[in-house]
Amino acid sequence: ELVQAVARKNAVICNRVMLDTGLRSGLYDPKQPFTVRYDMFKSREALTEDGQLSIAAQRFLEEIPQQYRVKPTDIKKEMEGLAHQISKPFHNLHDSLDAGLYVGGDTVTISLLVALLQQELLLSGPINVVDERGRFAYLIVDGHVGTASGINK
């Protein structure tokens, strides 16, 4: 609630908060440590039993604007250390950003996970994504890449 209050007047990058919020609801026991909930979600929604990206994850990656796309193998590699990496502060938000909640930075993986949480109805509302320079990249709406005027499906 505090993050949302601040985001009404400022741009706030909240990678960890977004994932933690989504992983505290629904199927995931909030009493479990974040890393346990994250690993369960990753295994259930982002990866298949044989360790490949899920169909939902692949579809989201295809929706991302071309300049931000990465290889599925890079996403899988980033997922391994992401639970610890997202706790690091990101101080590079661009001054021109509107007030609101943002995820992103130097990884596309966080936006993929936020989109999957939205698809499972564990997070709601449009979420802004920034690139590694802190500039607006794209919007996530209902688990898909969107624009101010709608969803790019």
Side-chain angles (χ1 to χ4, degrees):
E1 292 177 13
L2 176 62
V3 172
Q4 290 176 337
V6 173
R8 286 188 203 111
K9 295 183 181 182
N10 301 288
V12 178
I13 187 92
C14 50
N15 291 339
R16 171 80 182 222
V17 170
M18 281 294 170
L19 281 185
D20 196 36
T21 299
L23 294 176
R24 285 185 180 275
S25 49
L27 307 168
Y28 306 98
D29 183 356
K31 295 176 188 162
Q32 291 286 334
F34 173 78
T35 53
V36 170
R37 290 179 281 127
Y38 170 71
D39 286 341
M40 288 174 56
F41 174 75
K42 180 177 66 173
S43 297
R44 185 173 178 269
E45 298 299 329
L47 300 173
T48 62
E49 287 182 17
D50 62 350
Q52 300 302 310
L53 288 181
S54 68
I55 291 173
Q58 291 175 40
R59 285 184 182 147
F60 178 77
L61 291 177
E62 291 170 2
E63 294 176 10
I64 293 175
Q66 187 68 37
Q67 69 266 33
Y68 302 111
R69 289 189 186 165
V70 295
K71 298 176 186 172
T73 52
D74 293 339
I75 293 287
K76 291 187 321 184
K77 185 177 177 181
E78 284 182 356
M79 278 188 200
E80 293 308 313
L82 190 73
H84 300 290
Q85 181 181 337
I86 61 171
S87 296
K88 297 176 187 174
F90 182 80
H91 300 291
N92 202 21
L93 285 179
H94 197 269
D95 293 340
S96 66
L97 293 176
D98 292 334
L101 298 173
Y102 291 80
V103 298
D106 61 354
T107 176
V108 170
T109 305
I110 187 71
S111 65
L112 166 67
L113 296 170
V114 165
L116 293 174
L117 284 165
Q118 283 187 343
Q119 289 176 16
E120 291 299 309
L121 305 177
L122 300 174
L123 275 179
S124 61
I127 305 295
N128 301 290
V129 179
V130 294
D131 63 15
E132 69 279 353
R133 296 174 313 207
R135 296 180 189 274
F136 179 81
Y138 50 93
L139 187 66
I140 304 172
V141 180
D142 298 331
H144 298 278
V145 174
T147 64
S149 60
I151 297 174
N152 296 336
K153 280 196 200 177

